[in-house]
Amino acid sequence: MKFPRTSGGFYAWLFQRLTGILLVILLIIHFAITHNLPKGGEVTYALVAPRLATATWKVFDLTFLVCALFHGLNGVWMVVQDYVHSETAQAWIFYALCTLGLVLLVLGAITVIPFKA
Amino acid sequence: MLEKPSVIKRYRLHVGTIAWILHRATGLLLVLYLMLHIWVIHHVSQGPAGFNKVMKAVQSPLFLFLEIGLLGCVLYHAFNGLRIIIVEFSREGVEAHKQIFAAMMAVAVFLFLVGGVPMFIHFLHVLAG
Amino acid sequence: MAEYIFRVFRYDPEKDEGTRGRVQEYKIGVERGWTVLDALNYIKWHVDGSLAYRRACRHGICGSCGMTINGKNTIACEQQVADLGTQVVTVEPLRGFRVIKDLIVDMEPFYDKLYAIKPYLIAYSDPPTDKERLQSPEDRKLLDGKYECILCGCCTSSCPTYWADKEFLGPNALMKAARFAVDSRDEGWEERVNAIDDKHGVWRCHTIFNCVEACPKELNATRAIVELRRLMLKGRL
Amino acid sequence: MGKFEGYRGTFRCVDNRWLGTDEAKELHEVEGVELHNVHEHDAVIVGAGLAGMYAALEVKKAGFDVAVLTKVFPTRSHSGAAQGGIAAALANLEEDHIEWHFYDTVKGSDFLGDQDAIELMVREAPLVIFEYEHMGVPFSRTPEGKIMQRYFGGHVKDFGRGKPVLRACMAADRTGHVLLHTLWEQCVKLGVRFYSEYYVLSLIITDGHCQGVVAWDLINGGIHVFHAKATCFATGGYGRAYKITTNSHANTADGVAMVLEAGLPLEDMEFVQFHPTGIAKQGILISEAARGEGGYLINDKGERFMERYAPDKMELAPRDIISRSMWTEFLEGRGIGGERVIHLDLRHLGADKIKERLPQIRELAMKFAGVDPIDEPIPIQPTAHYSMGGIPTDINCRVLGDGKEQWVRGFWAAGECACVSVHGANRLGTNSLLDASVHGKRAGRDIVEYLSVVECFEPLPVDCARKAVDRVNWILKADGPERPSELREILQDNMYELCGVFRNEEDLTKMYDIIKDLQKRYQNIHIEDKSKVFNTHLMEALELGHLLEVAEVIVAGALNRTECRGAHWRTDCPGRDDENWLKHTLAWKTEEGVEFDYKPVVITRFIPEVRKY
Ligand SMILES: Cc1cc2nc3c(=O)[nH]c(=O)nc-3n(C[C@H](O)[C@H](O)[C@H](O)COP(=O)(O)OP(=O)(O)OC[C@H]3O[C@@H](n4cnc5c(N)ncnc54)[C@H](O)[C@@H]3O)c2cc1C
Ligand code: HEM
Ligand code: SF4
Ligand code: F3S
Ligand code: FES
């Protein structure tokens, strides 16, 4: 089994940085708002639901989801490339990670998109 | 020829190596957390009852405490990540990577206190019931 | 004259077959100003003639004597024993390479990485006959910190990424690639770029900086790697 | 083409694959040589310094199959240690002429250099430098972008009458390093075949015809025969005969000794140059660049003592003169602290200049003498540096079997191991990188011409590897009481004391006896490593054997030459004696000892005069 290659890792490298920077911003907002940090408060449905229902937050959450998934799984892929040397094994893992990413993306998307308070 | 010679002494660590090991470890932890997180939030579509039930479970004192650790991981990873990016894209960053590390960690620790202390207080509250 | 204990990695393929090497201790007096190479020479010449290591110039220019001393790579001939700060000195072969005997490692994989990036000036336009090509001092300055490499192997052998992935080009080859990339006379970027842009090329570096810590010539391979990445980025945008 | 015509008829062409025949197989089953260890190459070059690799490049470019054998990886050759520069009258910064360079070299050689060879060398110098530049050498640059040049001792304007001239082409203070690496890069580019870490043991010479060499594979252990139409030696110098030396541990006279063993003569071996500025006790070279940039030499009294010896040139006088001046200061008790040490003071140059122009010197001083030249003077002492003598060759680098005109067919030599002779009794700084490059190239070109005429290999003599095999087996089995390292230390210590900067009959006779004694003791050595894989102890024992043979010739030659000339200074025979000694020494090794013959110096243009600076 082979895995597709566009370049030796340029795009992986570039998007790891770009998503990294984005994630800093997104995470701060996410953390502050979602976790109700100013009050150090509890997370309840009542708190989460209204926010999740607005279009802006849907876009925000989806961006966040995509970035985090790409960055995280691409990070795992980088680690795998260091320690797994068989091309076949690498290919399997590559597709496994892609699948995992898709599943999580779908799971996240069906949570966020159709949500109505 | 000897493929894998035994090692007498561990290779010497320095800022760069430690930063990398921690970055890798926190990165992988965060991936695990992310998966968990997506799964948990997924319950939101089951309506208030279902969501609050899972949230209760993940807001037990243990989880609240772990979440402080999570904050630490995120902050370390984020700011060391920024350090890497600065090193790669700034003019003299390569030479100054140790100083940048120190600066980034200072900010990370500050934010950790800002975010972590309220979380810790909240944790104590919950613990005390 | 101070007493030191040298704990030296030993491996004789004929006697130690099947083992992963052993440690031999030598207690010797070290005179002021001795480098680790002087100490090894003393051991070889006066204590144990069978100890094997590479050395030639003994002043840090030939790159023969790269080894791991007290857990850090450097060239033995430039490492003052007194500067180590310990009375017990461990000496090991460069890691990440196969050991041929004692402190001598097989450097072939290291050279192979160099060959992969075409480590020579590639110029298609004919140079002026019986004259030098001109290069401004500013352009020449770009080579500083890249051309001085002595191929001692300390950098690549200290890189955790290389330990994990033996096909990683490693800091040394990447620095050599950068040395030509920034040379105003070189026209070989297209030919070299594929090797650099490879799966085991420039993107695999995790900016760990072990290579910079290890380089006895104080060269900054990470800087070279970062510059290569920027060049590639520019090329693609 | 023409010049090789004569040899054509003498070839018996036994189909190129002589190995395939049963007869050959039988013939070559010498103990220890396996048949797969026999290699065939058009040209075999021994040594991968500047001379060796330049020759290889030239041969490879012409499309022939060339192999380079070297006992250390190519870039670890000692050429890489050269710091200061490589001479060529480019006139990039100020007026300079090839004739001036010609004159300076002749005068530097104390008129013992052959002027035809010198003229050729200085004429080819600019071309070689430009070729280096085209190969990619990162020379330092002038503001207009030309190759930067600096001052160097002995190089002056206007046929010795003028001021110092900027002639040494440089790359910071890593000139040798960049030349060596660039040559290696080009060899990699063209696909030159390297046999790295092969220790060459002996020449295959029969009836004045060289057919290759026998070598020991250091990594795996095992004798290999290299069968070649052309063989070229570029094995470098032999500073390791001395205790205090700038030379690498690998500079142990192997090539020269093998030539001696093959019954061929050596030329002018008594001339060994001492560099005045070696780091005290270590011998590590502080390049002349330090003085070129304006460094002072200071004695215990704080005087710039060169005022007394070379008032015009001061610190830029040639090396031999400075070394002797220093030694005189020592003898008269003005060494620093009464010891054999002088201070090299750079402080007045200022931190910026030191950092920019002399970074490596500063590094060396800090790492090996523990002083930062910005704040402190560097303690220095004369150190054995360069061997002017060597394998006698003609101007095309062909080795001369009688030392005069008879070529050992198929055998060339270039670089420090050879004696063309362009350095005569004393080499000028930066002229030896030039010598190695120019003559490496010339040897290569000549080999190409030869190869384009000679089409096939001649069969190897039956027992071509016997000597080498016997020697290695003997050392591996020897279990006498003597330690090679101990013998070597005795040799080196005494050579520095008794056959050094100043020489006299008494010391030299003593030294000769010591060597004779050491040679006897050498027969009773043992080594502690009996294995085959990377046996460095075996290598050291072999090297010691070579050193002992060559040291004998050096000392005998010094004893024989009863005059003072260039680097050879006999306190008991004052003055240069042109009447009796304006001639080259040729020395053979025989049962009875060293035998001498002489050949005249080639004088084409400059009549010998008093050498004064
Ligand atoms: C410290 C120092 C500084 C110098 N600075 C200058 C300077 O500034 N300017 C200048 O012009 N000159 C300088 N010189 C002199 C100059 O560097 C040398 O004379 C010149 O480089 C010799 O080159 P080479 O090719 O003949 O030999 P080397 O470079 O010494 O190479 C010898 C080669 O022969 C091989 N070899 C030897 N024996 C064997 C064997 N038995 N089997 C196989 N291979 C063998 C070695 O492996 C090596 O590859 C300096 C010399 C020293 C020591
Ligand atoms: C918040 C801002 C973040 C920044 C600035 C950031 C930055 C980076 C950078 C620059 C790298 C590349 C390191 C390298 O090349 O070796 C990286 C790797 C990685 N990141 Fe992040 N990251 C962030 C958040 C996250 C998150 C949220 C996750 C988890 C989902 C994550 C998981 C990983 C993983 C697994 C790696 C690979 C680790 C390695 O190769 O050693 N990161 N990160
Ligand atoms: S970059 Fe430094 S450590 Fe690496 S091979 Fe070159 S000199 Fe040695
Ligand atoms: S240690 Fe290795 S990972 Fe990069 S910064 Fe140096 S090459
Ligand atoms: S012996 Fe040459 S670098 Fe150490």
Side-chain angles (χ1 to χ4, degrees), chain C residues 59, chain D residues 46-52 69-72 74 77-86 152 198-200 234-237 246-247 250-251 254-255 258 285 287 319 385-386 414-417 427 429-434 436:
Chain C
H59 65 262
Chain D
V46 182
L50 293 193
L69 276 65
T70 165
K71 66 176 179 180
V72 296
S77 299
H78 204 57
S79 292
Q83 303 166 353
I86 173 165
F152 234 83
Y198 276 67
Y199 184 92
V200 175
T235 54
T246 61
N247 282 202
N251 282 7
D254 301 318
M258 281 179 250
L285 179 73
S287 158
R319 296 173 177 176
H385 183 49
Y386 185 83
E416 192 170 339
C417 69
R427 165 183 76 97
T430 69
N431 258 355
S432 68
L433 289 181
L434 181 63

Coordinates of all heavy atoms in Angstrom, one line a residue, chain C residues 59, chain D residues 46-52 69-72 74 77-86 152 198-200 234-237 246-247 250-251 254-255 258 285 287 319 385-386 414-417 427 429-434 436, ligand 1:
Chain C
H59 N 44.0 19.2 15.8 CA 43.6 20.5 16.2 C 42.3 21.0 15.6 O 42.2 22.2 15.2 CB 44.8 21.5 16.0 CG 45.2 21.8 14.6 ND1 46.3 21.1 14.0 CD2 44.7 22.5 13.6 CE1 46.4 21.5 12.8 NE2 45.4 22.4 12.5
Chain D
V46 N 47.7 7.6 -4.8 CA 47.8 7.3 -3.4 C 47.9 8.6 -2.6 O 48.8 9.4 -2.8 CB 49.0 6.4 -3.0 CG1 49.1 6.2 -1.6 CG2 49.0 5.2 -3.8
G47 N 46.8 8.9 -1.8 CA 46.8 10.2 -1.1 C 45.7 11.0 -1.7 O 45.5 11.2 -2.9
A48 N 44.9 11.6 -0.8 CA 43.8 12.4 -1.2 C 43.9 13.8 -0.6 O 42.9 14.4 -0.1 CB 42.5 11.7 -0.7
G49 N 45.1 14.3 -0.6 CA 45.3 15.7 -0.2 C 45.0 16.5 -1.5 O 44.5 16.1 -2.5
L50 N 45.5 17.8 -1.5 CA 45.3 18.6 -2.7 C 46.0 18.0 -3.9 O 45.4 17.9 -5.0 CB 45.9 20.0 -2.5 CG 45.2 20.9 -1.5 CD1 45.7 22.3 -1.6 CD2 43.7 20.9 -1.6
A51 N 47.2 17.5 -3.7 CA 47.9 16.9 -4.9 C 47.2 15.7 -5.4 O 46.9 15.6 -6.6 CB 49.3 16.6 -4.5
G52 N 46.8 14.8 -4.6 CA 46.2 13.6 -5.0 C 44.9 13.8 -5.7 O 44.6 13.3 -6.8
L69 N 43.5 6.1 -3.3 CA 43.6 5.4 -2.1 C 44.1 6.3 -1.0 O 45.0 7.1 -1.2 CB 44.7 4.3 -2.2 CG 44.3 2.9 -2.8 CD1 43.8 3.1 -4.2 CD2 45.4 1.9 -2.7
T70 N 43.5 6.2 0.2 CA 43.9 7.1 1.2 C 43.7 6.5 2.6 O 42.7 5.8 2.8 CB 43.2 8.5 1.1 OG1 43.4 9.2 2.4 CG2 41.7 8.3 0.9
K71 N 44.6 6.8 3.5 CA 44.5 6.1 4.8 C 43.5 6.8 5.7 O 43.2 6.3 6.7 CB 45.8 5.9 5.4 CG 46.6 7.1 5.8 CD 47.9 6.7 6.5 CE 48.7 7.9 7.0 NZ 49.9 7.5 7.7
V72 N 43.1 8.0 5.3 CA 42.1 8.7 6.1 C 41.0 9.2 5.1 O 41.4 9.4 3.9 CB 42.6 10.0 6.9 CG1 43.6 9.5 7.9 CG2 43.3 11.0 5.9
P74 N 39.1 11.3 2.6 CA 39.7 12.4 1.8 C 39.7 13.8 2.5 O 40.8 14.4 2.6 CB 38.9 12.5 0.5 CG 38.4 11.1 0.3 CD 38.2 10.5 1.7
S77 N 42.5 14.7 5.1 CA 43.9 14.9 4.7 C 44.5 16.1 5.3 O 43.7 17.1 5.6 CB 44.0 14.9 3.2 OG 43.5 13.7 2.7
H78 N 45.8 16.1 5.4 CA 46.4 17.3 6.1 C 46.3 18.6 5.4 O 46.6 19.6 6.0 CB 47.7 16.9 6.6 CG 48.1 17.8 7.8 ND1 47.3 17.8 8.9 CD2 49.1 18.7 8.0 CE1 47.8 18.6 9.8 NE2 48.9 19.2 9.3
S79 N 46.1 18.6 4.1 CA 46.0 19.8 3.4 C 45.0 20.7 4.0 O 45.1 22.0 3.9 CB 45.6 19.6 1.9 OG 46.6 18.9 1.2
G80 N 44.0 20.1 4.6 CA 42.9 20.9 5.2 C 43.3 21.8 6.3 O 42.6 22.7 6.7
A81 N 44.5 21.5 6.9 CA 45.0 22.2 8.0 C 45.6 23.6 7.6 O 45.8 24.5 8.5 CB 46.0 21.4 8.8
A82 N 45.9 23.7 6.3 CA 46.6 24.9 5.9 C 45.7 26.1 6.1 O 44.5 26.0 5.8 CB 47.0 24.8 4.5
Q83 N 46.2 27.2 6.7 CA 45.3 28.3 7.0 C 45.5 29.5 6.2 O 44.6 30.1 5.6 CB 45.6 28.7 8.5 CG 45.4 27.5 9.5 CD 46.0 27.8 10.8 OE1 46.7 28.8 11.1 NE2 45.8 26.9 11.8
G84 N 46.8 29.9 6.0 CA 47.1 31.2 5.5 C 46.6 31.5 4.1 O 45.9 32.5 3.9
G85 N 47.1 30.7 3.1 CA 46.7 31.1 1.8 C 47.5 30.3 0.7 O 48.3 29.5 1.1
I86 N 47.2 30.6 -0.5 CA 47.9 30.0 -1.6 C 48.4 31.1 -2.5 O 47.6 32.0 -2.9 CB 47.0 29.0 -2.3 CG1 47.6 28.4 -3.6 CG2 45.6 29.5 -2.6 CD1 46.9 27.1 -4.1
F152 N 52.3 37.7 3.0 CA 52.9 36.5 3.6 C 54.4 36.6 3.5 O 54.9 37.2 2.6 CB 52.4 35.2 2.8 CG 51.8 34.2 3.7 CD1 50.4 34.4 4.1 CD2 52.5 33.2 4.2 CE1 49.9 33.5 5.0 CE2 51.9 32.3 5.1 CZ 50.6 32.4 5.4
Y198 N 42.3 2.9 3.3 CA 43.2 1.9 2.8 C 44.6 2.4 3.1 O 44.9 3.5 2.7 CB 43.0 1.6 1.3 CG 41.8 0.7 1.0 CD1 40.5 1.1 1.2 CD2 42.1 -0.6 0.4 CE1 39.5 0.2 0.9 CE2 41.0 -1.4 0.1 CZ 39.7 -1.0 0.4 OH 38.7 -1.9 0.1
Y199 N 45.3 1.5 3.7 CA 46.7 1.9 4.0 C 47.6 1.3 3.0 O 47.8 0.0 3.0 CB 47.1 1.5 5.5 CG 48.4 1.9 5.9 CD1 48.6 3.1 6.6 CD2 49.5 1.1 5.7 CE1 49.8 3.5 7.1 CE2 50.8 1.5 6.1 CZ 50.9 2.7 6.8 OH 52.2 3.1 7.3
V200 N 48.3 2.1 2.2 CA 49.2 1.5 1.2 C 50.5 1.1 1.8 O 51.1 1.8 2.6 CB 49.4 2.6 0.1 CG1 50.4 2.0 -0.9 CG2 48.1 2.9 -0.6
A234 N 50.9 10.8 -3.7 CA 50.7 12.2 -3.1 C 50.4 12.0 -1.7 O 49.4 12.4 -1.1 CB 49.5 12.8 -3.8
T235 N 51.4 11.4 -1.0 CA 51.2 11.0 0.4 C 51.6 12.0 1.4 O 51.5 11.8 2.6 CB 52.0 9.7 0.7 OG1 53.3 9.9 0.4 CG2 51.5 8.6 -0.1
G236 N 52.0 13.2 1.0 CA 52.2 14.3 2.0 C 53.5 14.2 2.7 O 54.4 13.5 2.3
G237 N 53.5 14.9 3.8 CA 54.8 15.2 4.5 C 55.1 14.2 5.6 O 54.4 13.2 5.8
T246 N 53.7 20.6 13.4 CA 52.3 21.1 13.0 C 51.6 20.0 12.3 O 50.4 20.1 12.1 CB 52.4 22.3 12.0 OG1 53.1 21.8 10.9 CG2 53.2 23.4 12.6
N247 N 52.2 18.9 12.0 CA 51.6 17.9 11.1 C 50.7 17.0 11.9 O 50.7 16.8 13.1 CB 52.7 17.1 10.5 CG 53.4 17.8 9.3 OD1 54.0 17.1 8.5 ND2 53.3 19.1 9.3
A250 N 48.8 11.6 10.9 CA 48.8 10.7 9.8 C 50.1 11.0 8.9 O 50.3 10.2 8.0 CB 47.6 10.8 9.0
N251 N 50.8 12.1 9.2 CA 51.9 12.4 8.3 C 53.2 11.7 8.7 O 54.0 12.2 9.4 CB 52.1 14.0 8.3 CG 51.1 14.7 7.5 OD1 50.2 14.1 7.0 ND2 51.3 16.0 7.3
D254 N 55.0 7.6 4.9 CA 54.7 6.3 4.3 C 55.2 6.2 2.9 O 55.9 5.3 2.5 CB 53.2 5.9 4.4 CG 52.7 5.9 5.8 OD1 53.4 5.4 6.7 OD2 51.6 6.4 6.0
G255 N 54.7 7.2 2.1 CA 55.0 7.2 0.7 C 56.5 7.3 0.4 O 57.1 6.5 -0.3
M258 N 58.2 4.0 1.2 CA 58.0 2.9 0.3 C 58.9 3.1 -0.9 O 59.4 2.1 -1.5 CB 56.5 3.0 -0.2 CG 55.6 2.3 0.8 SD 53.9 2.5 0.2 CE 53.2 3.7 1.3
L285 N 50.0 24.8 14.7 CA 50.4 26.0 14.0 C 49.5 27.2 14.2 O 48.3 27.1 14.1 CB 50.4 25.7 12.5 CG 50.8 26.9 11.6 CD1 52.3 27.1 11.7 CD2 50.4 26.6 10.2
S287 N 49.1 30.3 12.2 CA 49.5 30.6 10.8 C 50.3 32.0 10.8 O 50.1 32.9 11.6 CB 48.3 30.8 10.0 OG 48.5 31.5 8.8
R319 N 60.5 32.0 7.2 CA 60.3 31.2 8.4 C 61.6 30.7 9.0 O 61.8 30.8 10.2 CB 59.5 29.9 8.0 CG 58.2 30.3 7.6 CD 57.5 29.1 7.1 NE 56.1 29.6 6.8 CZ 55.2 28.9 6.2 NH1 55.4 27.7 5.9 NH2 54.0 29.4 6.0
H385 N 57.5 21.6 10.3 CA 56.3 22.0 9.6 C 56.3 21.4 8.2 O 55.2 21.0 7.8 CB 56.4 23.6 9.5 CG 55.2 24.1 8.8 ND1 53.9 23.8 9.1 CD2 55.1 25.1 7.8 CE1 53.1 24.5 8.4 NE2 53.7 25.2 7.6
Y386 N 57.4 21.5 7.5 CA 57.3 21.1 6.1 C 58.5 20.4 5.6 O 59.6 20.8 6.1 CB 57.0 22.4 5.2 CG 56.8 22.1 3.8 CD1 55.5 21.7 3.3 CD2 57.8 22.1 2.9 CE1 55.3 21.4 2.0 CE2 57.6 21.8 1.5 CZ 56.3 21.5 1.1 OH 56.1 21.2 -0.2
A414 N 53.6 13.8 -6.5 CA 53.3 15.2 -6.5 C 52.9 15.6 -5.0 O 52.6 14.8 -4.2 CB 52.1 15.5 -7.4
G415 N 53.1 16.9 -4.8 CA 52.7 17.4 -3.5 C 53.9 17.3 -2.5 O 55.1 17.3 -3.0
E416 N 53.6 17.3 -1.3 CA 54.7 17.5 -0.3 C 55.7 16.3 -0.3 O 56.8 16.4 0.0 CB 54.1 17.7 1.1 CG 55.2 18.1 2.1 CD 54.6 18.5 3.5 OE1 53.4 18.8 3.5 OE2 55.3 18.5 4.4
C417 N 55.2 15.1 -0.7 CA 56.0 13.9 -0.7 C 57.1 14.0 -1.8 O 58.0 13.2 -1.8 CB 55.2 12.6 -0.8 SG 54.4 12.4 -2.4
R427 N 61.0 26.5 1.9 CA 59.8 26.8 1.2 C 59.2 28.1 1.7 O 59.2 28.4 2.9 CB 58.7 25.7 1.4 CG 57.4 26.1 1.0 CD 56.4 25.0 1.4 NE 56.0 25.0 2.8 CZ 54.9 25.5 3.3 NH1 54.1 26.2 2.6 NH2 54.7 25.4 4.6
G429 N 56.1 30.5 2.6 CA 54.7 30.3 3.0 C 53.8 30.4 1.8 O 54.0 31.2 0.9
T430 N 52.7 29.7 1.8 CA 51.7 29.6 0.7 C 52.1 29.1 -0.6 O 51.4 28.9 -1.5 CB 51.1 31.1 0.4 OG1 52.1 31.8 -0.2 CG2 50.6 31.7 1.6
N431 N 53.4 28.7 -0.7 CA 53.9 28.1 -1.9 C 53.6 26.6 -2.0 O 53.7 26.0 -3.1 CB 55.4 28.3 -2.1 CG 55.6 29.4 -3.1 OD1 54.7 30.0 -3.7 ND2 56.9 29.8 -3.3
S432 N 53.3 26.0 -0.9 CA 53.2 24.5 -0.9 C 51.8 24.1 -1.3 O 51.6 23.1 -2.0 CB 53.6 23.9 0.4 OG 52.6 24.2 1.4
L433 N 50.8 24.8 -0.9 CA 49.4 24.5 -1.4 C 49.5 24.7 -3.0 O 48.9 23.9 -3.7 CB 48.4 25.5 -0.9 CG 48.0 25.3 0.6 CD1 46.9 26.3 1.0 CD2 47.5 23.9 0.9
L434 N 50.2 25.7 -3.4 CA 50.4 25.9 -4.8 C 51.1 24.8 -5.5 O 50.7 24.2 -6.5 CB 51.2 27.2 -5.0 CG 51.4 27.6 -6.5 CD1 50.0 27.9 -7.1 CD2 52.3 28.9 -6.5
A436 N 51.4 21.7 -4.4 CA 50.5 20.5 -4.4 C 49.5 20.6 -5.5 O 49.2 19.6 -6.2 CB 49.9 20.3 -3.0
Ligands
LIG1 C1 49.3 23.3 9.9 C2 49.8 23.5 8.5 C3 49.5 24.7 7.9 C4 49.9 24.9 6.6 N1 49.6 26.1 6.0 C5 50.0 26.3 4.7 C6 49.6 27.5 4.0 O1 49.0 28.4 4.6 N2 50.0 27.7 2.8 C7 50.6 26.7 2.1 O2 50.9 26.9 0.9 N3 50.9 25.5 2.7 C8 50.6 25.3 4.0 N4 51.0 24.1 4.6 C9 51.6 23.1 3.8 C10 50.6 22.3 3.0 O3 49.4 22.2 3.7 C11 51.0 20.9 2.6 O4 52.3 20.9 2.2 C12 50.2 20.4 1.5 O5 48.8 20.5 1.8 C13 50.5 19.0 1.2 O6 49.5 18.4 0.4 P1 49.6 17.0 -0.1 O7 48.5 16.8 -1.1 O8 50.9 16.7 -0.7 O9 49.5 16.0 1.1 P2 48.4 15.8 2.3 O10 47.3 16.8 2.2 O11 49.2 15.7 3.5 O12 47.8 14.4 1.9 C14 48.4 13.2 2.1 C15 47.5 12.1 1.7 O13 48.2 10.9 1.6 C16 47.5 9.9 2.2 N5 48.4 8.9 2.7 C17 49.6 9.1 3.3 N6 50.2 7.9 3.5 C18 49.3 7.0 3.0 C19 49.4 5.5 2.9 N7 50.4 4.8 3.5 N8 48.4 4.9 2.4 C20 47.4 5.6 1.8 N9 47.3 6.9 1.9 C21 48.3 7.6 2.5 C22 46.8 10.6 3.3 O14 45.6 9.8 3.7 C23 46.4 11.9 2.7 O15 45.2 11.7 2.0 C24 50.6 23.9 5.9 C25 50.9 22.7 6.5 C26 50.5 22.5 7.8 C27 50.8 21.2 8.5

